[in-house]
Amino acid sequence: MKYLPVNEQLFTINRKNFVSRLKPRSIAIFHSNDEFLRSGDQNYIFKQNPDFFYLSGIDQEQSILLLFPNCPNPLYKEVLFLRQTSEHIAIWEGHKYTKDEARAASGIQAVFWLQDYDSILHGIINYADNVYINTNENDRYSHTVPYRDMRMYEALRSKYPLHHYERSALILRDLRVVKSDTEIALTKTACGLTRDAFVRVLKFVQPGVAEYEIEAEIIHEFIKQRGTGHAYSPIIASGNNANVLHYIDNNQVCKDGEVILLDFGAEYANYNADMTRSIPVSGRFTPRQRDVYNAVLRVMKAATSMIIAGTIWNEYHDEVGKIMESELIGLGLLDKHEVAKQDPKAPLYKQYFMHGTSHHLGLDVHDYASRYKPFEVGNILTCEPGIYIPAEGLGIRLENNILITKDGNIDLMADIPVEAAHIEEIMNS
């Protein structure tokens, strides 16, 4: 891993909170993510299962975590199983965790090699009534290919059919959404890398630069500062490309007079930042571009003030829609008389602002959380309104990451330039 070691107390506390919610006489099993073949003998870069990392701190493939708080043998209350290295693996793949390194990273003292998993599990599972399986229940995920946890569940159900099988996801949905101080600090680090990459871009952009060159500047800054890389595929969308919400081709030349929509974020220690800015290729906004930009910025500031404990998701989005509606009328994009007659179920503002304003952020960029639970202290959410005008070849979106506190909220990206004048100042310095 490129990132610095994370204090194992984070994962020890996470496990303690998780097992406190298990039913009596329960065992929970978590698997690391699959490795995915890219071509020939090459795999895609390994990305750890976020739930597995949340509970173990182990960032390595072919690993298993077993939690059995009521185990009659204290040795097996929490057990970590790792792939045993060899001279061949060391030569071809590099270093793997030793048992002592895994203990230091996870706080788990019982560490065994994978070949011991079946015998240890068989020796204790019959003292449990319930088996908790880690299913991926993020509503952004579409289950098409059976992943490791599901394949192992099928094998367990065949071998131990009379146990009761439960879902770990219901517990993790409540736990993961409330961030600890350590998680907040890791997210701040990711935000800091994102800030530095953005300032680097502001000093780099000029007419004639290519979108992919901007992408290269960003990843340079991330890797230089120990970031794993991009939190998600970056969007570097100049001109009318900004009206494609998930544009990732990043292959066009940025022209004088255009605005570039930049949506990117760093990943650090598996925690993510998610930022969007819109900047003028020439270093100066036109009057119209500035008007649209400032309208989006006003919506973002108003929406940010609503990201507090107790806010209801749907009510929040509805209120943001009303604010956006007013801004679009002011820009001459909507007619107030037509708005007065609109179908409330299909508001006219969605012609120009068709996506949601916020999503939870954490180990997943669109983090695992309930859409039906009020916002809580410790939640981190994005705030990302936008206005998209294909007829003008202009798309503006702004996005910051907001931490909810007991006193309101903190903008984790408050130190990233967002005012139009500040952006122009840096671009022309």
Side-chain angles (χ1 to χ4, degrees):
M1 287 71 71
K2 296 181 178 73
Y3 56 85
L4 295 171
V6 179
N7 190 321
E8 56 84 12
Q9 279 298 305
L10 169 64
F11 312 110
T12 298
I13 292 170
N14 289 347
R15 290 193 300 276
K16 180 180 178 181
N17 290 336
F18 175 80
V19 299
S20 72
R21 300 193 183 200
L22 297 177
K23 293 180 178 180
R25 295 171 60 86
S26 293
I27 189 169
I29 304 171
F30 294 85
H31 292 268
S32 59
N33 260 349
D34 280 307
E35 300 160 88
F36 293 99
L37 187 67
R38 180 173 176 174
S39 64
D41 63 349
Q42 185 182 17
N43 287 341
Y44 284 102
I45 294 173
F46 178 72
K47 169 67 176 174
Q48 187 57 284
N49 180 299
D51 295 320
F52 185 88
F53 183 80
Y54 179 81
L55 294 170
S56 73
I58 296 298
D59 209 347
Q60 185 171 290
E61 73 287 349
Q62 298 183 37
S63 306
I64 303 174
L65 173 65
L66 188 155
L67 301 174
F68 189 180
N70 303 130
C71 185
N73 186 338
L75 176 62
Y76 301 128
K77 287 181 180 292
E78 51 179 31
V79 190
L80 185 63
F81 298 91
L82 299 174
R83 177 188 186 193
Q84 185 173 10
T85 192
S86 66
E87 183 177 340
H88 176 83
I89 291 171
I91 290 172
W92 287 92
E93 299 181 33
H95 181 73
K96 302 297 178 183
Y97 284 106
T98 67
K99 289 183 178 181
D100 284 342
E101 288 170 341
R103 291 184 185 105
S106 67
I108 297 170
Q109 297 308 304
V111 180
F112 295 86
W113 301 129
L114 267 179
Q115 56 261 35
D116 297 320
Y117 170 70
D118 286 334
S119 62
I120 289 176
L121 177 65
H122 187 68
I124 61 176
I125 194 170
N126 290 318
Y127 294 95
D129 295 331
N130 310 297
V131 181
Y132 280 76
I133 300 298
N134 187 36
T135 49
N136 187 340
E137 298 185 17
N138 191 317
D139 57 13
R140 298 272 181 167
Y141 175 76
S142 177
H143 178 73
T144 53
V145 178
Y147 50 91
R148 186 180 295 270
D149 280 299
M150 289 303 297
R151 297 197 306 273
M152 296 305 103
Y153 160 63
E154 294 294 344
L156 283 172
R157 192 174 62 172
S158 174
K159 192 171 183 179
Y160 306 104
L162 298 183
H163 283 72
H164 300 288
Y165 289 89
E166 302 281 349
R167 295 150 57 203
S168 294
L170 298 178
I171 300 173
L172 289 165
R173 186 170 62 197
D174 282 344
L175 292 179
R176 276 182 48 187
V177 73
V178 178
K179 306 302 187 287
S180 66
D181 289 344
T182 301
E183 291 177 294
I184 292 166
L186 293 170
T187 305
K188 285 181 177 178
T189 299
C191 290
L193 271 61
T194 305
R195 174 199 61 224
D196 292 349
F198 178 57
V199 172
R200 182 186 180 111
V201 165
L202 288 178
K203 296 176 179 179
F204 174 77
V205 165
Q206 59 182 319
V209 74
E211 294 167 346
Y212 54 80
E213 292 180 277
I214 298 172
E215 182 179 342
E217 293 294 309
I218 293 167
I219 194 63
H220 183 148
E221 195 66 34
F222 288 173
I223 299 300
K224 186 177 77 171
Q225 297 194 46
R226 290 181 172 270
T228 310
H230 293 290
Y232 50 94
S233 296
I235 297 169
I236 316 295
S238 59
N240 210 30
N241 295 333
N243 293 303
V244 180
L245 296 182
H246 289 160
Y247 172 84
I248 57 171
D249 290 342
N250 302 346
N251 61 4
Q252 300 299 302
V253 172
C254 305
K255 302 179 180 64
D256 192 10
E258 292 180 333
V259 170
I260 311 170
L261 189 155
L262 308 161
D263 189 338
F264 65 87
E267 179 187 271
Y268 183 85
N270 288 300
Y271 285 84
N272 301 286
D274 186 356
M275 183 204 74
T276 307
R277 292 292 187 271
S278 299
I279 66 173
V281 174
S282 66
R284 301 285 181 191
F285 291 102
T286 67
R288 175 60 170 176
Q289 290 168 352
R290 183 182 286 266
D291 286 344
V292 177
Y293 186 99
N294 285 335
V296 175
L297 183 57
R298 286 191 293 270
V299 175
M300 186 175 81
K301 290 178 177 179
T304 297
S305 70
M306 291 184 267
I307 301 178
I308 58 175
T311 294
I312 305 297
W313 193 282
N314 289 340
E315 294 175 1
Y316 161 70
H317 284 295
D318 290 344
E319 192 61 33
V320 173
K322 294 174 185 176
I323 298 167
M324 178 61 79
E325 191 175 79
S326 176
E327 293 291 350
L328 292 171
I329 291 171
L331 290 169
L333 294 169
L334 292 181
D335 180 272
K336 66 179 181 180
H337 301 295
E338 293 298 320
V339 168
K341 298 183 293 183
Q342 70 185 352
D343 180 356
K345 296 181 180 179
L348 296 177
Y349 78 81
K350 287 188 175 290
Q351 298 173 55
Y352 301 98
F353 175 41
M354 60 291 295
H355 57 78
T357 311
S358 296
H359 59 77
H360 287 273
L361 182 72
L363 285 167
D364 288 304
V365 175
H366 288 258
D367 210 25
Y368 187 41
S370 172
R371 293 177 179 268
Y372 306 102
K373 191 174 183 179
F375 296 167
E376 302 173 87
V377 171
N379 290 175
I380 299 177
L381 294 107
T382 63
C383 184
E384 51 180 309
I387 294 176
Y388 309 93
I389 318 171
E392 299 180 25
L394 178 64
I396 303 285
R397 181 165 70 249
L398 300 173
E399 177 182 18
N400 278 5
N401 303 158
I402 311 300
L403 167 68
I404 297 178
T405 66
K406 60 182 178 61
D407 300 316
N409 66 46
I410 296 172
D411 188 341
L412 300 180
M413 292 182 164
D415 61 347
I416 302 181
V418 70
E419 297 287 342
H422 193 189
I423 286 172
E424 289 179 337
E425 177 186 354
I426 297 173
M427 294 187 77
N428 291 281
S429 62

